[in-house]
Each structure stands twice: as structure tokens, then as C-alpha cells.
Amino acid sequence: MTDISKRTLLLGLTAGGLLPVAALAQGRTNTQPFVLAPKFSAQDQGRINRAVAYLQGLNSGAGRFEQTDFKGRKTQGEWWLQRPGKIRFAYDAPYSLLVVADGKRVNMWDPRLKAFNQYPLDATPLSLFLSKQIRLDQGVIVTEVTSTTDGFRLKARDRRRDVEGSILMTFIEQGGNLTLGEWTVTDAQGKGTRLKLLTFNKNAPVKADLFVLNKPKDAK
């Protein structure tokens, strides 16, 4: 890969800085000290509750996205969602990358390099809003709530002190309705990748085969 690197994809979709399995893979256990969740005002706690209810209520969706890596390089493509557990990102040419969560794994296919990779869905920030039961008060907790001109942002991180990195989710309010607008994942080195949902057709019908990505025969 050149303009869009595998590291960018891993940061934006499977960011190691936020992952419980990243710590487990290094031989750590859940006995590590926990970060305590801040005490939020009633208004901010209400925002957290609204965000959780909104994410929990998502069933399906589709639209366009734009990804910006930590160097400012941009790529676009289409996305489809089917909760719980399933999402698909199809990057525009010339990259033509596919990233598909099938409910258990995140599969990535780069047709230019003939490279196919798999990662556990629970080991990605995608699991925050693809899981059957949305929780932002256990393994992953909200650490900051900030207002924006058209909504609010929630910053979340792994609860263990030795797992660095964070995800910043931006929610847009329009006419009393809430929409997930974008998220930015920042790794332990402070490098962030932003994924903005350019369009969001909520509850759009999607086909089941969109979330199937098997290893191609010509994969290396």
C-alpha cells in the first residue's frame, strides 16, 4: 500500500491502542488497575445515555464515508451496516479495499497486494457500536463529554490503565434527532485516524451477502 497504508486501516478500524485483546496478547490479565469513570453532570450523563440509546437502536444503514489518516491523506468509499455485528467498508478505486465485519471477525482484502487479513471483532473499536448490548460503563468507559455547535462528542478508552489510546465519537443533533457523524481513533503515539460518515441512510435495507468476505483463492 502507498497512499493508504495497512497501519491506517488498523488504526481507524482495528486500533490496537484501544483493544482489550492487545493487553491479553502481551500476557496481561484483568487484574490490572482500572481507570475510574469521571463523575459527569446531569446534562453530560444525559448525553451519554442518549448516545447509548441511539447506538442500541441502530438496526441497519448505508452511505458514503471519508477517512483521513494522521498525515491528512483522504480516501472515500461506501459503507453498509447491519446490527448486531456486521458492517462493510468498500474503498473507492484505485485502492478498492474491502473491510467486512461478519459478526465475529473483521476481514480485510487488498486486491492490489493480494493480501487478506482477519481480526476478532471484539478487538476493534467497531465493537463499540456493533455489539448486541451497547455499554460505555464497563470495559470501555467515557472519559470526556464536550459540546459542539451541532451536538456533542464522547471520548472513550479502555478501562485498564496500561492500555493506551482512545476513540472520539461525534454525534449530531437535528430537530431533536441524534446521528453518529464520525469517529476518530487515536493510538498510544497520539496518531489519529478520522472516519466521517458523509451520508447516513438510517435503516436502509441491506443484503446479507454484503457481510460475507471469504479469503480469495488468489490471496497470498
Side-chain angles (χ1 to χ4, degrees):
M1 297 184 187
T2 54
D3 292 340
I4 181 170
S5 67
K6 184 180 293 186
R7 182 190 179 286
T8 294
L9 284 174
L10 294 181
L11 177 59
L13 301 174
T14 60
L18 190 63
L19 312 185
V21 293
L24 295 177
Q26 296 174 17
R28 301 187 180 103
T29 68
N30 288 332
T31 60
Q32 296 294 326
F34 288 125
V35 174
L36 296 177
K39 292 184 178 180
F40 293 106
S41 67
Q43 182 182 36
D44 286 344
Q45 186 59 55
R47 288 168 171 163
I48 295 172
N49 294 342
R50 285 188 66 203
V52 170
Y54 165 79
L55 294 173
Q56 190 68 54
L58 284 179
N59 294 313
S60 63
R64 295 277 302 171
F65 71 88
E66 178 181 78
Q67 181 174 285
T68 306
D69 72 9
F70 66 96
K71 292 186 177 180
R73 297 173 295 195
K74 298 180 184 295
T75 51
Q76 292 192 4
E78 296 182 81
W79 66 274
W80 298 262
L81 166 74
Q82 181 70 65
R83 288 194 68 255
K86 299 177 181 179
I87 199 165
R88 177 187 181 99
F89 296 93
Y91 288 74
D92 294 344
Y95 310 111
S96 303
L97 294 157
L98 288 177
V99 179
V100 178
D102 61 12
K104 295 181 178 180
R105 297 171 299 275
V106 177
N107 303 310
M108 297 173 56
W109 168 239
D110 182 347
R112 297 187 303 163
L113 298 181
K114 308 298 182 185
F116 181 81
N117 296 281
Q118 289 184 320
Y119 306 90
L121 175 59
D122 315 0
T124 77
L126 294 175
S127 64
L128 282 178
F129 44 89
L130 291 183
S131 58
K132 185 175 182 179
Q133 185 67 38
I134 305 295
R135 297 298 299 264
L136 294 177
D137 59 356
Q138 292 187 337
V140 173
I141 59 169
V142 175
T143 58
E144 293 180 22
V145 180
T146 54
S147 298
T148 64
T149 56
D150 57 358
F152 60 89
R153 294 190 180 103
L154 302 183
K155 187 176 184 180
R157 57 158 292 170
D158 192 290
R159 225 179 145 180
R160 281 163 300 182
R161 292 185 182 277
D162 64 337
V163 181
E164 298 182 13
S166 64
I167 182 168
L168 183 67
M169 295 176 286
T170 299
F171 294 88
I172 300 169
E173 296 181 283
Q174 291 180 326
N177 296 318
L178 206 61
T179 300
L180 177 62
E182 63 180 69
W183 65 85
T184 298
V185 176
T186 302
D187 68 9
Q189 286 73 47
K191 296 177 179 178
T193 294
R194 173 192 182 200
L195 197 143
K196 182 177 182 179
L197 302 179
L198 298 175
T199 58
F200 194 150
N201 184 3
K202 187 178 179 182
N203 296 327
V206 292
K207 297 181 179 179
D209 59 2
L210 285 170
F211 309 107
V212 177
L213 179 56
N214 297 316
K215 185 176 182 178
K217 293 181 179 180
D218 59 343
K220 295 180 180 178

